[in-house]
C-alpha cells in the first residue's frame, strides 16, 4: 500500500529503519518523513508502522504495544496514525515559526490544540515494594482508555520542547536538501549535521570537489 500522495513510500514496504538523530522525541517525530535516499520515506504511514516506531524510540514498551494491539482494531489505530501525520506537519510549522519569530509566534489556537491533545493522557499511580522489601516505589502507568492516547507520548515531548527547550539548540541539518531536525546536546553546541556519516560527509566531499574545481580553473 502506498501513501495517498506523491511518490512517498512506506518504510515498512522497503524495510528502512527509522532515522533517530533528533536527540529529542518531538524532533525525531518530525523526522518520521524524510528523503535520505532521494524519494520521501514515510515511517508512520500505517497504524502498525506508527506503533513500531513508538517502540523503537522507547515512547511505549513492547508490552504496551501488545496491549494496544489487543484492545483496538487495526482501522482505529490507522486513524490515529493519520491524525499523527497531521499533527506532525502542524508541529513542524510551529517549530519553523518560533525558530524564526520566537515563542510569541505560537498562536492561541496552537496552545488550545496542544492542551486538548495533552488532556488525552490518563495515568494511574500505584505503589509496589522495592527489590529489598524495605523500600516502597511509586510508579505510574498509562491506562490506555482510548486509541488516541497513543498520541500522548509524542504530544508530551512537543510540549516539553516548547516549554523547556532552547530554541537556539533546536536546528535543522545544515545540508540544504536534508530536512532532518535535531536538538544540539553537544558540549560546545556546534552540531551542524543530522549525522556526520550522512550529511557531514556529503558536505565534506562537496567542499573538497569545490576546492578541486577552483584549483583546476586557477591553473
Ligand atoms: Zn542531514
Amino acid at each position: 500500500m502506498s501513501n495517498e500522495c506523491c511518490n512517498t513510500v512506506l518504510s515498512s514496504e522497503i524495510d528502512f529503519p527509522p532515522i533517530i538523530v533528533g536527540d529529542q522525541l518531538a524532533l525525531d517525530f518530525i523526522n518520521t518523513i524524510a528523503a535520505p535516499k532521494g524519494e520521501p520515506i514515510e515511517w508512520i504511514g500505517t497504524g502498525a508502522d506508527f506503533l513500531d516506531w513508538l517502540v523503537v524510540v522507547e515512547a511505549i514498551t513492547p508490552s504496551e504495544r501488545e496491549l494496544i494491539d489487543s484492545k483496538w482494531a487495526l482501522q482505529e489505530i490507522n486513524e490515529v496514525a493519520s491524525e499523527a501525520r497531521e499533527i506532525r506537519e502542524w508541529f513542524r510549522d510551529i517549530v519553523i515559526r518560533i525558530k524564526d519569530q520566537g515563542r510569541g509566534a505560537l498562536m492561541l489556537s496552537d496552545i488550545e490544540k496542544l492542551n486538548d491533545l495533552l488532556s488525552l493522557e490518563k495515568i494511574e499511580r500505584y505503589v509496589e515494594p522495592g527489590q529489598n522489601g524495605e523500600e516502597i516505589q511509586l510508579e505510574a502507568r498509562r491506562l490506555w482508555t482510548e486509541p488516541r492516547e497513543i498520541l500522548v507520548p509524542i504530544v508530551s515531548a512537543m510540549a516539553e520542547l516548547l516549554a523547556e527547550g532552547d530554541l537556539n539548540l533546536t536546528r535543522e541539518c545544515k545540508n540544504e536538501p536534508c530536512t532532518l531536525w535535531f536538538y544540539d546536546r553537544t558540549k560546545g553546541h556546534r552540531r551542524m549535521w543530522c549525522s556526520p556519516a550522512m550529511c557531514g560527509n556529503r558536505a565534506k566531499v562537496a567542499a573538497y570537489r569545490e576546492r578541486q574545481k577552483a584549483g583546476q580553473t586557477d591553473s
Side-chain angles (χ1 to χ4, degrees):
M1 185 181 78
S2 275
N3 218 3
E4 315 81 56
C5 104
C6 333
N7 315 316
T8 309
V9 290
L10 299 183
S11 58
S12 51
E13 275 179 345
I14 53 171
D15 207 15
F16 205 103
I19 302 175
I20 314 294
V21 294
D23 234 346
Q24 204 281 343
L25 185 58
L27 297 176
D28 274 326
F29 180 63
I30 288 184
N31 295 341
T32 55
I33 188 161
K37 299 250 179 237
E39 71 185 332
I41 301 172
E42 171 64 84
W43 276 272
I44 59 166
T46 68
D49 287 355
F50 185 31
L51 293 178
D52 282 344
W53 183 84
L54 287 167
V55 172
V56 170
V57 296
E58 296 179 353
I60 60 171
T61 64
S63 56
E64 281 179 306
R65 197 216 147 126
E66 271 175 38
L67 183 69
I68 291 165
D69 273 332
S70 68
K71 270 191 147 175
W72 297 302
L74 205 57
Q75 183 51 33
E76 289 175 289
I77 301 172
N78 283 342
E79 278 165 26
V80 175
S82 167
E83 184 175 358
R85 294 194 296 277
E86 180 268 316
I87 289 170
R88 178 182 63 195
E89 298 319 310
W90 164 71
F91 187 67
R92 185 194 313 276
D93 175 62
I94 287 179
V95 170
I96 293 170
R97 223 187 312 138
I98 63 171
K99 270 288 285 178
D100 196 33
Q101 305 161 41
R103 282 184 175 80
L106 203 59
M107 293 182 285
L108 191 59
S109 59
D110 295 326
I111 291 173
E112 282 170 357
K113 179 168 172 153
L114 200 53
N115 284 339
D116 273 351
L117 291 165
L118 285 169
S119 74
L120 290 167
E121 177 153 50
K122 303 283 181 298
I123 57 167
E124 69 178 357
R125 303 178 87 195
Y126 61 99
V127 289
E128 63 179 16
Q131 297 227 318
N132 63 9
E134 279 298 310
E135 52 192 42
I136 294 174
Q137 286 173 331
L138 178 58
E139 307 282 354
R141 66 182 152 223
R142 293 206 165 89
L143 289 172
W144 303 112
T145 53
E146 60 164 312
R148 289 178 76 227
E149 252 177 272
I150 301 167
L151 300 167
V152 166
I154 300 305
V155 172
S156 301
M158 291 174 181
E160 280 161 18
L161 183 67
L162 293 176
E164 295 154 13
D166 183 338
L167 295 180
N168 290 320
L169 303 182
T170 306
R171 295 196 203 117
E172 198 170 10
C173 178
K174 256 226 147 74
N175 183 22
E176 267 298 312
C178 180
T179 56
L180 296 175
W181 285 82
F182 58 85
Y183 196 85
D184 182 1
R185 297 186 196 273
T186 63
K187 243 187 173 168
H189 300 315
R190 294 211 183 92
R191 181 175 167 186
M192 288 195 281
W193 320 110
C194 59
S195 104
M198 284 199 291
C199 288
N201 248 347
R202 267 178 221 160
K204 269 188 213 148
V205 170
Y208 175 77
R209 289 214 181 105
E210 277 301 306
R211 281 200 302 274
Q212 292 289 91
K213 250 204 294 191
Q216 277 166 14
T217 38
D218 285 352
S219 57

